[in-house]
């Protein structure tokens, strides 16, 4: 195995996880990687580590370049366990002279590992660190996506080691963006944004503006997941667009169904949306994972929700999806709801309430149908779809 040199004397030493399929509720059907980077300079420096069970792979890749005991500095850009799970064992082996982290990084490391004796060196935002021939500038990125998060910028190489930002849960034998299928890559990058960073969109916009103000030249972005961007402009532009909540002329009909009545209604609503020349995806929650749906929510203008009433509430898959979507804070959406019921029929009201809390523009009170829709009921659903379609066309 040849060492993977991404810039002169900068190596990728991470681990590829081909088998993980769940990442705290996010479906990682393409696996992921945990990236770590090693700079060989007067001060040999390791940036981040990997998930606990991938320690062997990290050490193997480091040993192909240098004995781990020779590492002088460790930089912890982010404490979440997928990047620090094996930190205690790596600290025992490496015994670094210094462990660099943000102010919140130190606190978070203490809360995780309870080791007061580690050689913490808290860095200030914008602070420089010379490794010999290379200089690291630390950039605080608090809440992108944890309080401790920061970037490390290698000035001489114009290389941004960006922690979780710009990542993708995407396992591959290739390490660079121009070596993989671009459509697959951009889909995984969008899905990652929608499920990890969406709620921090205002901070993402601010960060992009401040990096531009700083005049930081970026030739390469090396995130902690997925492939490395040799075309950083592509992913920065995508982040600009996603964080501005720019939407296409597209609607989603997301539903769950008990005895197919709500499904019949969903199809009629979708027909109405399509009648208005708006693209529509019909997403049954029983066969579409919530994290895939969120990737579609990212650039959809309208979200139409369907659920029958169960025990005076929603079907559990819809309740779970709403909880998940609300936490990710999509903005500037048009909303509407529909559903069948037997006797009480609260589902439509409940879905509208959550969408109102999310500040969606509710364009219709919604359609409720008792038990099984008649032809007339389905026509009402088509009309609901048309109202949504018209609203999308006016808004986009
Ligand atoms: Fe990839 Fe926030 O950890």
């Amino acid at each position: 195995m040849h060492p993977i040199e991404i810039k002169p004397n900068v190596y990728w030493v991470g681990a590829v996880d081909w088998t993980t399929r769940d990442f705290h509720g996010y479906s990682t059907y393409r696996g992921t990687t945990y990236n770590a980077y090693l700079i060989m300079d007067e001060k040999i420096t390791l940036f981040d580590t990997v998930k606990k069970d991938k320690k062997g792979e990290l050490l193997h890749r480091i040993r192909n370049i240098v004995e781990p005991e020779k590492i002088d500095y460790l930089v912890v850009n982010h404490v979440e366990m997928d990047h620090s799970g094996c930190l205690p064992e790596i600290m025992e082996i490496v015994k670094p002279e210094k462990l660099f982290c943000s102010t919140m990084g130190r606190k978070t490391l203490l809360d995780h590992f309870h080791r007061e004796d580690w050689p913490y060196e808290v860095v200030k935002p914008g602070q420089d660190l010379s490794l010999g021939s290379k200089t690291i500038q630390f950039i605080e990125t608090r809440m992108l996506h944890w309080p401790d998060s920061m970037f490390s910028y290698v000035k001489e190489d114009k290389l941004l080691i960006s922690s979780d930002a710009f990542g993708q849960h995407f396992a591959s034998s290739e390490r660079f963006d121009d070596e993989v299928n671009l459509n697959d890559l951009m889909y995984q990058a969008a899905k990652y944004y929608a499920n990890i960073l969406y709620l921090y969109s205002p901070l993402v916009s601010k960060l992009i503006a401040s990096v531009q103000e700083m005049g930081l030249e970026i030739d390469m972005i090396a995130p902690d997941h997925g492939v490395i961007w040799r075309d950083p402009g592509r992913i920065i532009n995508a982040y600009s667009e996603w964080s501005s909540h720019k939407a296409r002329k597209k609607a989603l009909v997301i539903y769950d169904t008990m005895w197919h009545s709500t499904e019949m209604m969903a199809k009629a609503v979708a027909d109405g949306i399509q009648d208005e020349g708006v693209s529509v995806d019909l997403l049954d929650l029983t066969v579409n994972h919530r994290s895939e749906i969120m990737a579609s929510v990212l650039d959809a203008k309208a979200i139409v929700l369907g659920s029958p009433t169960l025990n005076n509430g929603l079907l559990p898959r819809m309740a779970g999806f709403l909880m998940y979507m609300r936490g990710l804070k999509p903005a500037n959406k048009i909303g509407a709801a529909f559903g069948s019921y037997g006797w009480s029929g609260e589902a439509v009201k409940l879905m509208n309430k959550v969408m109102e809390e999310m500040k969606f523009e509710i364009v219709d009170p919604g359609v409720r149908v008792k038990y099984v829709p008649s032809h007339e009921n389905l026509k009402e659903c088509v009309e609901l779809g048309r109202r949504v379609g018209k609203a999308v066309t006016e808004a986009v």
Side-chain angles (χ1 to χ4, degrees):
M1 186 181 67
H2 299 300
I4 297 166
E5 192 173 24
I6 65 167
K7 284 280 183 182
N9 297 315
V10 183
Y11 297 89
W12 174 83
V13 289
V16 182
D17 190 340
W18 292 93
T19 56
T20 189
R21 290 293 179 269
D22 179 83
F23 199 93
H24 51 59
Y26 176 145
S27 146
T28 49
Y29 71 93
R30 294 295 302 260
T32 192
T33 75
Y34 315 106
N35 298 337
Y37 301 96
L38 183 73
I39 293 188
M40 295 298 293
D41 206 338
E42 282 170 37
K43 291 292 186 186
I44 300 174
T45 304
L46 177 65
F47 295 78
D48 294 318
T49 64
V50 296
K51 208 172 174 182
K52 191 175 174 64
D53 67 343
K54 296 290 180 288
K55 179 194 72 177
E57 191 171 336
L58 171 73
L59 287 171
H60 177 57
R61 291 188 194 281
I62 293 172
R63 284 197 178 105
N64 273 341
I65 301 158
V66 68
E67 282 307 313
E69 294 78 3
K70 296 211 167 118
I71 293 173
D72 299 290
Y73 292 163
L74 226 150
V75 174
V76 175
N77 281 320
H78 177 33
V79 183
E80 194 167 2
M81 287 292 200
D82 48 332
H83 309 294
S84 72
C86 68
L87 188 62
E89 287 153 293
I90 295 297
M91 287 297 290
E92 285 306 306
I93 297 167
V94 170
K95 296 190 172 51
E97 189 184 320
K98 289 177 179 173
L99 186 166
F100 294 92
C101 57
S102 65
T103 307
M104 287 307 293
R106 182 176 183 277
K107 288 185 180 150
T108 313
L109 282 166
L110 284 168
D111 286 342
H112 276 70
F113 303 110
H114 316 290
R115 294 294 301 258
E116 294 279 354
D117 57 323
W118 284 354
Y120 303 102
E121 190 80 19
V122 169
V123 295
K124 292 194 172 70
Q127 183 180 327
D128 281 356
L129 168 71
S130 173
L131 304 183
S133 67
K134 294 182 194 284
T135 317
I136 309 303
Q137 182 178 2
F138 296 104
I139 300 167
E140 190 175 47
T141 57
R142 195 178 276 220
M143 291 321 296
L144 284 174
H145 70 126
W146 271 26
D148 56 275
S149 301
M150 65 175 189
F151 291 171
S152 299
Y153 176 66
V154 188
K155 287 185 172 177
E156 291 74 10
D157 297 316
K158 300 176 184 164
L159 165 67
L160 185 68
I161 299 174
S162 65
S163 186
D164 274 338
F166 309 114
Q168 333 91 49
H169 286 312
F170 188 31
S172 59
S173 54
E174 295 76 16
R175 294 277 61 82
F176 294 100
D177 53 347
D178 49 22
E179 297 173 330
V180 297
N181 180 288
L182 189 58
N183 288 337
D184 280 357
L185 172 62
M186 290 314 291
Y187 176 73
Q188 293 304 331
K191 181 179 168 190
Y192 183 97
Y193 186 91
N195 285 278
I196 308 271
L197 297 168
Y198 207 176
L199 67 162
Y200 302 118
S201 288
L203 293 177
V204 172
S205 300
K206 224 185 259 180
L207 179 70
I208 292 173
S210 77
V211 164
Q212 280 161 350
E213 262 169 42
M214 285 162 74
L216 215 62
E217 285 182 82
I218 300 172
D219 181 59
M220 182 183 282
I221 295 180
D224 273 2
H225 295 288
V227 296
I228 295 160
W229 300 92
R230 278 199 281 226
D231 179 3
R234 184 187 299 280
I235 190 64
I236 291 172
N237 289 342
Y239 268 48
S240 265
E241 196 156 300
W242 296 332
S243 61
S244 68
H245 298 284
K246 203 167 160 186
R248 292 198 299 119
K249 205 171 154 186
K250 170 181 136 182
L252 307 180
V253 177
I254 303 165
Y255 69 97
D256 199 356
T257 194
M258 200 187 299
W259 295 107
H260 301 290
S261 291
T262 302
E263 183 178 51
M264 289 164 73
M265 297 172 76
K267 286 182 175 166
V269 171
D271 284 347
I273 294 172
Q274 206 177 332
D275 282 349
E276 295 299 322
V278 172
S279 175
V280 57
D281 282 348
L282 205 55
L283 298 167
D284 180 344
L285 283 164
T286 57
V287 293
N288 291 282
H289 194 273
R290 59 181 168 266
S291 56
E292 298 294 333
I293 295 177
M294 284 312 301
S296 295
V297 167
L298 195 55
D299 66 350
K301 186 64 196 171
I303 310 294
V304 190
L305 301 173
S307 172
T309 297
L310 176 74
N311 303 334
N312 305 108
L314 300 169
L315 275 194
R317 264 186 294 260
M318 176 56 78
F321 174 74
L322 272 181
M323 175 71 81
Y324 188 70
M325 179 167 72
R326 185 169 59 182
L328 289 165
K329 297 189 168 77
N332 303 339
K333 305 290 186 197
I334 285 165
F338 60 92
S340 69
Y341 69 102
W343 47 99
S344 57
E346 292 90 342
V348 168
K349 199 170 75 185
L350 290 170
M351 289 183 285
N352 278 341
K353 184 169 180 281
V354 177
M355 288 192 284
E356 278 161 14
E357 285 164 10
M358 292 164 68
K359 302 196 167 31
F360 285 15
E361 182 198 345
I362 308 295
V363 293
D364 190 281
V367 178
R368 297 187 320 145
V369 167
K370 198 160 189 183
Y371 289 116
V372 177
S374 64
H375 180 64
E376 288 308 311
N377 294 144
L378 290 178
K379 277 167 53 181
E380 279 179 67
C381 293
V382 172
E383 278 312 309
L384 173 67
R386 285 188 182 144
R387 274 193 286 282
V388 170
K390 281 193 181 90
V392 169
T393 305
E394 280 164 20
V396 175

